[in-house]
Amino acid sequence: MAKKKIGIIGGGISGAALSYYLSLYTGEAEIVLFEKGRIGCGTTAKSAGTVCLFDDSLNNRYWDVRLYGFETYLKMEQEEKGSAGFDQTGTLVVAPHEQEEQRIKAGIALAKAAGYSGEYITDKARIKEILPDINPDNILGAGYTKDDGYFDGTMISNTFVKKMQANGGTVKIGTEVTEIIREGDTAVALKTADGTRWDFDVIVDCTGPWSRFTGELVGLDVPIWHTKAEAFFLCPPTKRPGYVFPVLKYPAFYALRAGENVFICKSHLSMNLDDPMHAGQWDPDKLPQTGGTDDYFIEFLFEQMDSFVPGLADSGLVSSWLSYRAEPRDFLPIVGETPVKNYLLATGYGGNGVIEAPAVSRDLAKFIMRGESTMLLEEWAFKRLLK
Amino acid sequence: MKIAVLIKQVPASNDVTVDPQTHCLIRENAEMTVNPSDLNAITAALALKQQAGGTVTVLTMGPPDANKALRTALAMGSDEAWLLTDRCFGGGDTLGTAKVLKAALAHTGPYDLVLAGDASSDGATGQVGPMVAELLGLPCATDARKLELEGGKLSVLRQWKIQKVRVRMSLPCMATVGLGSNQPVLPTIRSQMKANKVEIPTLTNQDLSLDTAVIGMPGAKSLVTDTLAREGSHRKAEMLTGTPEEIAKRIKELMDEEGER
């Protein structure tokens, strides 16, 4: 049987994971992954990488997706220490109001059902023990687990690619796709910047924030917007030797430790797609490596810190960065078939790529290799956006 | 003690373009930041203020968005900031810049001490500070590593080739502060937010009344005729991935390619 030829554009977490899951169809798939820069070094490198068991901007509706991602990376880490960059700090998810409290409690129940620890704490002194910088007076309580933390998206992407190569796949680093060739309504090949033509049975766009530009190459309008992921690295004013800063989640922002500093970022669900300060359609190639954040973000950050985590309000601003999350209007990814035959998408993860990529890639690989869809693919299909 | 610090807003990375006609940096789309050694100068000024009391005033010449650098300086703890901006200041050489800065220091001063970073990360001439000192008639120590007040004089430990030299200067005086000579003060979220709300006063040539024939492009005594990439700057780093055998094979190929050159 002839091997199915599959070209994957983009070597971030989306493309890297998909290439690996396809490579598990031993002897059936001929995979080429094209990355114009380096593996896992675009938006993936600016991902917070928090994979929390009972809170994420990913709704509890997709909890199995989160669990699958979490356990995939745990196993990766167990296979080879450091390969997923796991930093088990635990997570403290804060409930400022009742609705949030209910959501967290449901998440704890789900985490426990899967065999992980989780507790909802209302004892303010105990919450201060876990996070001394917090103001516990204006919250109802907090969910806490010690089992999860941070995974490194860049490390994971490289591990996936390494495994894919070990399974016989090919990666073309520093290779930009400049043209996608159609025959009628079918994508059949692509060309790279050096003029080489590559024929494929299936082409998958995994370019995230670049997807609108990649879609243009094949005449497809990919309906994603960019929201700004503005992040700061803070140097806390008080050093606490031996203390582990947990992943901290509030509805409007999240924070995690980064060495001795604290990384802090605005939550993507607090972004308004109709606010031009929050969202638009920009060119990710014009993003600076560092800096680029807006002044309004400082005000936002100060208000949040002053009110909720006053111990961090006088932190030094070490550095900052801006990256773009790719979001469809419903904040869910776009996965699977498009109006262009044999041209598939695995994009629009909106900052949840590290969490979602394993489950999505597992299902999408099966769809590509066997034509069998799944409930997840049905819910995140391109066609939902055409309604 | 009144201290002035001259700072410059520079591109945050080396990824900048040069205007092929004027050979000036195109700054419009570049992410800008405070020149690194200017952060050391501000930090040194704040330490001296802590020692002797007084105020720290920062000045920068540049386009209106150079306000961002001034706000960083304010957030670090500087007391006031001035933006020197006028079309006629632009496109000049180091001497033209020094003349504008000298006039601004006279307008906003007098100062007991003027500090600056020892060189900018974009132009890297290291000329402006000493030129300002010369125009003001002040003694100047360059590449200062440590500054202390001793008996009303400024004691400066400076780097000179491979040695360190200590000089003492009567006030008023000027010093340029070396990159890495101290750990720059970090702005905090609180201080940065406060600084972002400060109205920064601007000085134009209407305030400084400089002869436009001696500043900016018309006054430039030196002209950049060409910009050349540093030899080797086109080298690319390549991340080698794959199995150990594949990586070893690629290293061998690269060594062979290098050998053929």
Side-chain angles (χ1 to χ4, degrees):
Chain A
M1 191 173 71
K3 286 184 181 179
K4 187 165 259 187
K5 291 182 173 179
I6 304 151
I8 298 171
I9 311 170
I13 187 74
S14 172
L18 180 62
S19 71
Y20 166 67
Y21 281 92
L22 283 165
S23 76
L24 297 177
Y25 290 79
T26 311
E28 295 185 41
E30 191 176 309
I31 307 150
V32 185
L33 173 65
F34 298 91
E35 166 52 49
K36 69 176 178 177
R38 288 175 291 143
I39 296 298
C41 286
T43 315
T44 299
K46 289 181 171 176
S47 156
T50 58
V51 182
C52 301
L53 280 166
F54 49 78
D55 180 86
D56 261 310
S57 43
L58 181 61
N59 195 287
N60 274 335
R61 177 181 174 82
Y62 300 108
W63 196 80
D64 288 341
V65 171
R66 186 186 315 166
L67 181 66
Y68 184 77
F70 179 72
E71 295 195 332
T72 298
Y73 301 142
L74 275 189
K75 284 172 199 156
M76 188 181 272
E77 189 75 15
Q78 281 161 7
E79 266 177 40
E80 187 183 346
K81 193 164 170 48
S83 61
F86 186 34
D87 187 11
Q88 188 179 340
T89 60
T91 301
L92 188 73
V93 191
V94 179
H97 45 73
E98 209 169 309
Q99 191 188 350
E100 198 60 29
E101 187 176 57
Q102 290 303 307
R103 204 170 73 84
I104 294 166
K105 284 181 173 176
I108 291 170
L110 291 166
K112 282 177 154 178
Y116 294 97
S117 72
E119 56 179 323
Y120 187 73
I121 308 168
T122 51
D123 176 356
K124 305 288 172 79
R126 174 90 203 289
I127 295 171
K128 282 253 335 157
E129 246 175 61
I130 297 167
L131 193 84
D133 296 318
I134 203 169
N135 171 15
D137 297 333
N138 50 13
I139 60 172
L140 299 178
Y144 178 67
T145 178
K146 60 177 175 42
D147 294 334
D148 58 15
Y150 161 86
F151 290 95
D152 187 314
T154 301
M155 288 297 298
I156 291 167
S157 302
N158 279 281
T159 303
F160 273 138
V161 168
K162 196 167 82 172
K163 285 163 159 257
M164 179 271 282
Q165 286 179 295
N167 291 343
T170 302
V171 57
K172 305 296 287 182
I173 294 169
T175 306
E176 186 174 6
V177 172
T178 51
E179 195 179 336
I180 299 172
I181 298 157
R182 280 174 65 156
E183 282 177 7
D185 64 350
T186 306
V188 294
L190 56 78
K191 272 192 181 173
T192 48
D194 61 0
T196 309
R197 177 183 164 125
W198 300 75
D199 289 319
F200 290 110
D201 300 312
V202 176
I203 296 170
V204 191
D205 165 18
C206 296
T207 58
W210 286 266
S211 280
R212 192 171 278 274
F213 298 104
T214 313
E216 281 171 9
L217 297 178
V218 75
L220 181 70
D221 182 14
V222 180
I224 60 159
W225 279 255
H226 296 124
T227 59
K228 289 180 182 175
E230 298 186 273
F232 275 104
F233 288 89
L234 308 179
C235 177
T238 312
K239 298 276 179 228
R240 296 187 178 88
Y243 167 71
V244 176
F245 189 97
V247 172
L248 172 66
K249 296 253 178 177
Y250 271 84
F253 71 92
Y254 55 91
L256 62 144
R257 77 168 173 180
E260 289 197 335
N261 296 327
V262 172
F263 169 94
I264 194 157
C265 187
K266 197 171 180 179
S267 158
H268 90 148
L269 287 182
S270 62
M271 306 304 279
N272 176 2
L273 287 184
D274 296 317
D275 181 341
M277 281 301 282
H278 290 190
Q281 285 168 350
W282 300 299
D283 183 353
D285 281 330
K286 291 192 174 152
L287 278 174
Q289 280 295 308
T290 60
T293 53
D294 296 302
D295 287 346
Y296 89 93
F297 187 60
I298 291 278
E299 278 186 46
F300 161 82
L301 203 56
F302 180 73
E303 282 164 15
Q304 296 288 322
M305 293 303 106
D306 205 32
S307 175
F308 298 119
V309 201
L312 292 181
D314 287 305
S315 294
L317 291 167
V318 181
S319 66
S320 63
W321 74 39
L322 169 66
S323 77
Y324 296 147
R325 301 177 177 116
E327 322 249 26
R329 286 200 77 87
D330 59 5
F331 293 101
L332 294 171
I334 318 176
V335 184
E337 290 181 303
T338 69
V340 180
K341 208 174 161 197
N342 292 346
Y343 185 77
L344 275 55
L345 296 176
T347 191
Y349 285 111
N352 282 330
V354 174
I355 303 164
E356 295 167 348
V360 165
S361 303
R362 174 199 62 193
D363 288 10
L364 189 57
K366 189 168 76 140
F367 177 75
I368 291 169
M369 298 308 296
R370 296 286 182 270
E372 295 170 11
S373 190
T374 63
M375 281 165 61
L376 186 64
L377 295 184
E378 295 295 321
E379 290 210 11
W380 291 355
F382 186 94
K383 63 185 176 198
R384 78 179 192 276
L385 301 164
L386 299 174
K387 286 174 188 167
Chain B
M1 183 176 189
K2 284 193 72 176
I3 307 171
V5 186
L6 310 176
I7 69 170
K8 184 180 183 187
Q9 185 157 280
V10 295
S13 80
N14 292 328
D15 191 15
V16 290
T17 42
V18 176
D19 186 306
Q21 255 77 50
T22 64
H23 304 287
C24 292
L25 289 178
I26 299 172
R27 299 168 194 270
E28 280 76 19
N29 294 321
E31 174 66 15
M32 306 297 279
T33 188
V34 181
N35 177 48
S37 63
D38 296 350
L39 294 173
N40 297 113
I42 295 165
T43 301
L46 293 171
L48 289 171
K49 176 189 155 184
Q50 201 168 23
Q51 188 188 344
T55 57
V56 173
T57 302
V58 283
L59 302 97
T60 193
M61 188 189 97
D65 72 358
N67 264 341
K68 189 183 162 201
L70 294 172
R71 291 191 196 287
T72 303
L74 289 171
M76 289 170 73
S78 304
D79 298 283
E80 60 172 359
W82 291 88
L83 175 67
L84 324 176
T85 189
D86 200 307
R87 281 242 169 245
C88 69
F89 298 163
D93 59 7
T94 49
L95 185 57
T97 303
K99 284 174 181 168
V100 174
L101 291 170
K102 180 248 177 184
L105 288 167
H107 188 92
T108 59
Y111 296 97
D112 302 300
L113 173 64
V114 181
L115 298 180
D118 68 337
S120 62
S121 62
D122 54 357
T125 65
Q127 293 171 359
V128 173
M131 282 175 171
V132 170
E134 185 66 22
L135 291 170
L136 288 168
L138 298 179
C140 179
T142 55
D143 204 358
R145 314 308 295 182
K146 196 172 179 186
L147 297 102
E148 289 168 303
L149 285 167
E150 288 174 1
K153 293 191 173 185
L154 186 73
S155 168
V156 180
L157 186 68
R158 60 181 296 260
Q159 189 74 39
W160 186 71
K161 296 186 178 173
I162 58 167
Q163 321 171 48
K164 288 208 167 55
V165 177
R166 186 174 294 281
V167 295
R168 281 190 188 83
M169 297 186 289
S170 300
L171 301 175
C173 64
M174 171 145 196
T176 64
V177 180
L179 179 67
S181 57
N182 55 40
Q183 181 72 37
V185 171
L186 287 175
T188 68
I189 309 174
R190 192 187 299 273
S191 66
Q192 186 68 62
M193 196 193 70
K194 202 171 148 202
N196 287 352
K197 292 181 174 168
V198 171
E199 186 82 21
I200 292 178
T202 297
L203 293 177
T204 66
N205 203 33
Q206 272 198 324
D207 305 297
L208 302 182
S209 306
L210 288 157
D211 178 357
T212 53
V214 300
I215 56 169
M217 210 170 267
K221 303 279 185 200
S222 58
L223 186 67
V224 179
T225 55
D226 207 353
T227 45
L228 304 170
R230 194 176 56 192
E231 198 179 331
S233 63
H234 291 302
R235 286 179 189 170
K236 280 188 173 176
E238 181 184 341
M239 179 71 83
L240 304 182
T241 57
T243 61
E245 290 75 18
E246 286 167 340
I247 293 173
K249 191 178 161 204
R250 181 71 189 129
I251 291 171
K252 174 78 170 51
E253 283 169 8
L254 288 168
M255 289 170 71
D256 290 344
E257 283 168 24
E258 196 61 30
E260 284 166 15
R261 281 185 197 156

